[in-house]
């Protein structure tokens, strides 16, 4: 143990992180061992490199951007909707479709204790958790198409256990248990603005999930990709856990992508307010991409084509389709990391847990949409936000539980 301690101490000295073993002497033997092992498993250089790189502005000019063409669901006549839906339906009936739910986020803005998917929306006649809502959505498709869609749920090391327990306690809401598989995503240490890693407990360095874009690497690592292939799955839908109107199984969207020979597809909603803090689709260096709201200026936001259509107003709503070849391709690439500024509690110098009121730490995250730039083209389908977009992000902003509930109830009662 002593040698290990010395080794850890040298590493921490080198990276100026000695505070991580400040309470070492107060720990019991198991905790000491756990802390030393955890520190030895951390790649400090990687974190500081990510930190430094994230301080540099992304180097592109407006000339590198062009719009990504989109089509609008509302422009399709009924018979075309039926035509494409049939194509999607056939694929589902052949048992060639799976759903992935990305539920590994920390949900720091909501600040709810427990995985976000366990948060219950106050619906009538009964409260329903986000997981139940998602489950019922997929179950409905199962009964419509007489199949059992394999459902993969990405968790984090922070919320995996609680998530699985929640499913068990709720008897999987009647979903065939064998058709659900959980897999954990990767993690990285959290770091303060002053380049300090933090302690979550006296014996535990705070690490958190490394973004929803880690889904591909994690699917490969946990042999989900192999399983998809062995099950002859051809298309997968990817969505978050917090949009209560998310259509996990959309035959029209699927048929449209298949019939037009796309290998990736996303849904967008129209960004009503030009400077709203949402990322929009674009092309960067000719490839499908997303423009973060920090990079959007008013000029870009109000730019229109000759027909008067806005060019950069298709907002990302985290609803994507990818075929198996596309997933395999991006499971081999290293997506870049973005820096997110988030609220994380920490152990202060007195050894007390402190809960900050405002964001205090950087988290490094892969974003799923960065995978799209590995392709030349993609389908972008604008849908109606009132029908498909009701996320829960926090309690006070526009995406709060009340607005989500209102939209959900309105959609399902009309
Ligand atoms: P958000 O970007 O809204 O993040 O995730 P979040 O972690 O839920 O919440 P905040 O930002 O800390 O408040 C969008 C979707 O991506 C998933 C989330 O679970 C959610 O479904 N996600 C996010 C992951 O699966 N893993 C991550 O590392 C981050």
């Amino acid at each position: 143990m002593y040698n290990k301690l010395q080794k850890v101490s040298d590493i921490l000295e080198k990276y100026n992180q000695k505070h991580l073993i400040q309470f070492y002497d107060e720990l019991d033997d198991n905790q000491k061992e756990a802390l030393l092992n955890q520190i030895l498993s951390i790649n400090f250089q990687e974190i500081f490199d990510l930190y430094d790189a994230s301080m540099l502005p992304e180097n592109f000019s407006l000339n590198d951007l062009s719009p990504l063409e989109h089509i609008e669901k509302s422009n399709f006549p009924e018979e075309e909707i039926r035509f494409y839906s049939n194509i999607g339906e056939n694929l589902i009936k052949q048992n060639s479709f799976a759903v992935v739910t990305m539920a590994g986020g920390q949900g720091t803005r909501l600040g709810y204790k427990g995985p976000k998917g366990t948060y219950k929306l106050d619906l009538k006649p009964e409260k329903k958790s986000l997981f139940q809502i998602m489950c019922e959505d997929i179950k409905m498709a199962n009964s419509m198409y007489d199949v059992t869609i394999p459902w993969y749920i990405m968790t984090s090391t922070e919320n995996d256990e609680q998530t699985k327990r929640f499913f068990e306690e709720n008897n999987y809401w009647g979903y065939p248990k064998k058709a659900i598989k959980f897999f954990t995503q990767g993690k990285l240490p959290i770091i303060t603005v002053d380049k300090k890693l933090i302690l979550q407990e006296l014996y535990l360095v705070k690490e958190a999930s490394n973004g929803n874009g880690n889904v591909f690497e994690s699917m490969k690592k946990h042999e989900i990709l192999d399983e998809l292939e062995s099950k002859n799955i051809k298309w997968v839908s990817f969505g978050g856990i917090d949009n209560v109107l998310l259509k996990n199984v959309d035959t029209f969207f699927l048929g449209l992508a298949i019939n037009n020979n796309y290998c990736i597809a996303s849904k967008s909603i129209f960004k009503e307010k030009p400077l709203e803090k949402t990322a929009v689709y674009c092309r960067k260096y000719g490839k499908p991409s997303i423009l973060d709201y920090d990079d959007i200026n008013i000029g870009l936001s109000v730019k229109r084509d000759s027909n008067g259509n806005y060019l950069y107003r298709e907002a990302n709503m985290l609803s994507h389709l990818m075929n198996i070849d596309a997933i395999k391709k991006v499971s081999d690439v290293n997506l870049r990391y973005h820096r997110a500024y988030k609220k994380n509690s920490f152990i202060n110098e007195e050894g007390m847990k402190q809960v900050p009121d405002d964001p205090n730490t950087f988290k490094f995250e892969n974003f799923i949409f960065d995978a799209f730039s590995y392709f030349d083209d993609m389908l972008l389908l604008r849908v109606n936000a009132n029908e498909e977009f009701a996320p829960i992000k926090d309690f006070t902003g526009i995406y709060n539980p009340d607005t989500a509930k209102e939209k959900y109830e309105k959609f399902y009662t009309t």
Side-chain angles (χ1 to χ4, degrees), residues 101-111 116-117 154-156 159 185-186 208-215 239-243 318 340-343 363-367 392-394:
T101 300
M102 297 171 291
Q106 286 185 290
T108 55
R109 284 169 287 173
L110 193 64
K116 209 194 229 185
M154 183 167 81
T155 61
S156 66
N159 71 19
Q185 67 167 113
S209 51
N210 58 352
N212 56 34
N214 190 244
V215 65
I241 183 60
D242 52 14
N243 174 11
L318 197 56
Y341 198 36
K342 301 209 174 190
K343 244 193 304 192
K363 181 182 187 234
F364 296 101
E365 297 193 344
N366 294 138
F367 291 160
I392 298 175
K393 295 293 179 191
D394 58 24

Side-chain angles (χ1 to χ4, degrees), residues 106 188-191 196-198 206-208 344 361-363:
Q106 286 185 290
L188 281 173
I190 295 285
I191 185 169
K196 297 284 185 205
L197 274 66
I198 58 175
K206 175 82 183 173
E207 295 183 90
N344 274 291
T361 46
F362 291 135
K363 181 182 187 234

Side-chain angles (χ1 to χ4, degrees), residues 53-117:
S54 75
M55 290 297 166
L56 305 170
E58 213 206 319
N59 228 348
F60 67 89
S61 81
L62 292 186
N63 292 333
D64 301 323
L65 301 178
S66 54
L68 179 69
E69 316 69 34
H70 72 273
I71 48 179
E72 297 175 26
K73 186 174 178 189
S74 59
N75 289 340
F76 282 83
E78 197 46 49
E79 67 272 16
E80 279 190 43
I81 301 241
R82 257 199 315 275
F83 169 78
Y84 290 114
S85 301
N86 277 337
I87 296 172
E89 195 174 317
N90 283 338
L91 184 104
I92 294 168
K93 286 181 172 164
Q94 287 159 15
N95 292 300
S96 296
F97 176 78
V99 171
V100 170
T101 300
M102 297 171 291
Q106 286 185 290
T108 55
R109 284 169 287 173
L110 193 64
Y112 168 70
K113 259 192 184 332
K116 209 194 229 185

Side-chain angles (χ1 to χ4, degrees), residues 22-23 199 202 346-354:
Q22 184 186 347
F23 306 104
L199 285 174
L202 298 183
F346 60 97
I347 301 289
N348 68 15
E349 284 167 9
E350 282 79 47
M352 305 297 290
K353 187 159 266 185
Q354 203 160 317

